Amino acid sequence: MSLRIDLWVTLGAWPTDDHAAWSTADVDLYLDAVKADVVVARSSTSVLYNAPEGNAAIVALAAEHPRVLPSFVLTPEHWGATAELSDLGGDLAAAGARAFWLSPGRHGWSLTGRESDGLPALLSATGLPVLIELDDTDWNSIDQLCSRAPDVDVIVTGLGYRTIRQAFAVMDAHPRVHVDLSYLACSDGIERFVRRYGADRVVMATGAPAKDHRAPWFVLEHSDLSDDERRLVGGDTAARLLGLDDVNSTVPSAPTHLAPAIDFHAHIGAWPSSWMPAITHEAVLHSAARVGIVHSVISHLEGIWVDARHGNERAIAAARQHPEALSVHLVANPHFTDHAEVLRDQLADPVVRGIKVHPDTHLCPIDDERYGWIWQLAVETNTPVLSHGFGGSPWSDPSRFGAVAERFPDLRLVIGHSGANTDGFRATIDVAQRHPNLMAEICGSWLTGRWLSTLVRELGAERVLFGTDSCLIDPRYSRGRVESADLSQHDQYLVLVGNAARLLALSPTPPTPTT
């Protein structure tokens, strides 16, 4: 038997348009597309409404679809004072559950509260793995649960890049804690965790359809792991945790060639609230080459956080070492008008291609008059501007970009992250449809191939730019999302390379083929 397994898919209706609702037919299409075999699925009813009803629904679905294995969502009613079954662990296993989910944040309880006292015994009795989305709890609570249930396999999903310090500390202490690939987004994340803990501590779970279903497989396919390690991550470890026998999973193989891409949104430097393992321009170049990125436009995080002038000097110095592969977005801080002439001089440097503003770190709304000198400088020098954009932010909500675009119709202004979250995506589409000098850039934590397809459909492919947010985020996630989007070959070319080449006056060369 040869299996590739996705441990996290949610089936059923969803009350918002944040993501599409998936059926078993969608599962079949997905598995065929990524050459995988089975999914471990939970019901949206279990997550959003009533766990017992949803658990029963997913068992019924799985009974009719052999490519779906059921997972149950547990609440304190399964083990606490209101539990009605005397042998609940046996009953849950007999009902067909292959794994359990805990959603304490969403369901109003705590892993460390007294209401969780009976949970460790229940989990131990079933012998099944338990999945917990990090957004639903925190590492300290996971640590305490694992201390109380040391014989239980715990899979922490949606790790991201902001809590690597905490993840290492908990995984060092608890050898049965695993992480998934749904968003293991720190630079070289899969390689770092496998080297530290072994490939049997990292598993494939995508979080589809809320999260992108293609990007995690893309990360695995384009990883630096051995074939044996890829087999463990792609299916063998999941099969062991689920109690599936005689597994010898296939090795996900990467294409021999990727179309070239230009990364319009990259960084070097540190992030103060998080440990970032790869902050140099050499690390950015290594990550870029792995996924066909032939040119990256960097800004220095020192410039964004503390000293724009010095950060710009460091970015220029790095780009001068690799002018064919790196260029610079100069950080402009609206509070310091005396930087104008220095910026004007630096814009004449051939490695400088654009300007970057970050309203949220500089605490100045994007439509504030204090940016006027920056917009004027950009128009006078015909320089594109990339701004951080974040839905709901008082500083950079995409709706604020409209006033700037109207006052400066010749300004080429790019909304970074396309607004970053689902509210931001919608606001980006709305404001950019009304102002043709606005463009959208697609890096970030919440974008999916579906949302990329929507951006292209609503704005036109010529107004959407590829970006990764490297070195904060592993660029394989951004590239994988492009691969999952419903784009024509021409539109994909515009997003990946054509628009940035036009905007930055670049002539990209083909990448070295990867294997």
Side-chain angles (χ1 to χ4, degrees):
M1 179 165 60
S2 177
L3 292 180
R4 294 176 74 189
I5 302 170
D6 182 349
L7 280 165
W8 178 17
V9 167
T10 303
L11 300 183
W14 206 264
T16 72
D17 68 345
D18 289 356
H19 64 74
W22 266 20
S23 67
T24 52
D26 295 302
V27 167
D28 288 335
L29 291 172
Y30 154 57
L31 291 175
D32 291 343
V34 299
K35 297 180 174 61
D37 300 286
V38 295
V39 299
V40 179
R42 62 184 186 178
S43 168
S44 62
T45 299
S46 297
V47 179
L48 299 174
Y49 175 57
N50 182 278
E53 286 187 28
N55 295 340
I58 201 67
V59 168
L61 280 175
E64 300 295 327
H65 297 83
R67 302 175 86 179
V68 175
L69 303 178
S71 59
F72 287 2
V73 177
L74 302 184
T75 67
E77 286 66 46
H78 288 101
W79 64 82
T82 57
E84 296 180 358
L85 298 178
S86 59
D87 182 22
L88 198 48
D91 283 294
L92 288 168
R98 291 285 187 171
F100 296 134
W101 276 94
L102 303 175
S103 300
R106 184 184 290 274
H107 292 158
W109 59 279
S110 170
L111 290 176
T112 60
R114 287 195 176 275
E115 69 272 23
S116 68
D117 282 352
L119 175 60
L122 173 62
L123 296 177
S124 296
T126 65
L128 298 179
V130 60
L131 296 97
I132 308 173
E133 191 172 1
L134 190 57
D135 283 349
D136 239 339
T137 184
D138 57 72
W139 280 110
N140 181 59
S141 298
I142 293 169
D143 178 38
Q144 293 189 47
L145 173 65
C146 294
S147 295
R148 296 158 59 205
D151 57 340
V152 174
D153 290 294
V154 175
I155 302 165
V156 182
T157 69
L159 181 58
Y161 63 89
R162 298 181 185 272
T163 63
I164 306 303
R165 298 169 176 137
Q166 295 90 331
F168 282 174
V170 173
M171 293 182 73
D172 287 348
H174 302 289
R176 299 186 73 163
V177 173
H178 308 69
V179 294
D180 81 327
L181 277 185
S182 64
Y183 197 51
L184 191 60
C186 67
S187 296
D188 296 339
I190 185 172
E191 290 83 6
R192 294 180 191 280
F193 277 80
V194 167
R195 298 293 175 258
R196 187 176 179 107
Y197 299 109
D200 59 349
R201 302 279 297 278
V202 181
V203 297
M204 175 58 67
T206 66
K211 298 180 184 294
D212 193 85
H213 59 276
R214 182 68 183 91
W217 291 105
F218 186 91
V219 171
L220 182 59
E221 292 158 4
H222 292 270
S223 69
D224 295 336
L225 305 187
S226 69
D227 286 352
D228 286 344
E229 289 169 334
R230 289 183 189 177
R231 271 190 286 264
L232 282 166
V233 175
D236 284 4
T237 296
R240 174 178 59 81
L241 296 176
L242 298 170
L244 304 177
D245 298 325
D246 302 324
V247 171
N248 179 23
S249 63
T250 55
V251 180
S253 58
T256 57
H257 177 76
L258 284 169
I262 294 174
D263 184 355
F264 195 79
H265 189 159
H267 303 284
I268 57 176
W271 195 261
S273 63
S274 308
W275 175 68
M276 288 170 35
I279 65 175
T280 66
H281 70 273
E282 292 90 354
V284 168
L285 290 172
H286 171 76
S287 296
R290 183 189 278 137
V291 293
I293 294 171
V294 296
H295 195 94
S296 301
V297 191
I298 59 173
S299 56
H300 204 292
L301 292 170
E302 181 190 4
I304 288 172
W305 279 108
V306 58
D307 187 339
R309 182 174 293 185
H310 190 240
N312 290 339
E313 291 171 354
R314 297 176 73 179
I316 289 171
R320 283 174 176 169
Q321 296 180 53
H322 303 276
E324 75 292 344
L326 294 175
S327 57
V328 175
H329 283 311
L330 297 173
V331 178
N333 187 324
H335 303 295
F336 297 99
T337 58
D338 59 325
H339 289 186
E341 291 310 310
V342 173
L343 288 169
R344 186 183 294 274
D345 291 343
Q346 289 173 327
L347 285 168
D349 192 304
V351 301
V352 175
R353 299 282 177 171
I355 292 172
K356 172 68 182 283
V357 296
H358 203 295
D360 290 60
T361 59
H362 295 156
L363 302 181
C364 186
I366 187 72
D367 51 357
D368 193 285
E369 294 290 344
R370 283 171 287 183
Y371 285 95
W373 65 273
I374 299 173
W375 311 141
Q376 193 62 45
L377 176 63
V379 171
E380 291 174 2
T381 57
N382 195 32
T383 302
V385 179
L386 169 64
S387 173
H388 177 80
F390 201 102
S393 165
W395 319 106
S396 63
D397 186 273
S399 62
R400 290 181 172 271
F401 284 67
V404 180
E406 186 170 346
R407 293 204 315 268
F408 295 88
D410 295 327
L411 175 67
R412 296 176 296 167
L413 181 57
V414 179
I415 304 173
H417 315 292
S418 296
N421 54 34
T422 53
D423 286 343
F425 305 151
R426 286 186 281 264
T428 293
I429 291 169
D430 177 68
V431 72
Q433 285 178 335
R434 291 183 283 109
H435 299 284
N437 55 329
L438 294 177
M439 300 180 71
E441 178 275 320
I442 64 169
C443 74
S445 300
W446 291 282
L447 196 106
T448 63
R450 184 178 75 92
W451 273 110
L452 172 55
S453 301
T454 301
L455 285 164
V456 168
R457 183 180 66 250
E458 297 296 330
L459 300 181
E462 68 280 357
R463 297 176 65 193
V464 181
L465 292 154
F466 175 73
T468 71
D469 220 6
S470 178
C471 56
L472 281 82
I473 297 174
D474 191 306
R476 288 173 290 193
Y477 282 94
S478 284
R479 187 64 195 259
R481 292 164 184 159
V482 176
E483 299 299 318
S484 74
D486 182 19
L487 302 180
S488 69
Q489 186 175 4
H490 177 66
D491 286 352
Q492 187 182 90
Y493 167 79
L494 289 176
V495 171
L496 284 175
V497 67
N499 296 332
R502 181 185 74 250
L503 203 61
L504 302 171
L506 286 170
S507 299
T509 56
T512 301
T514 59
T515 58

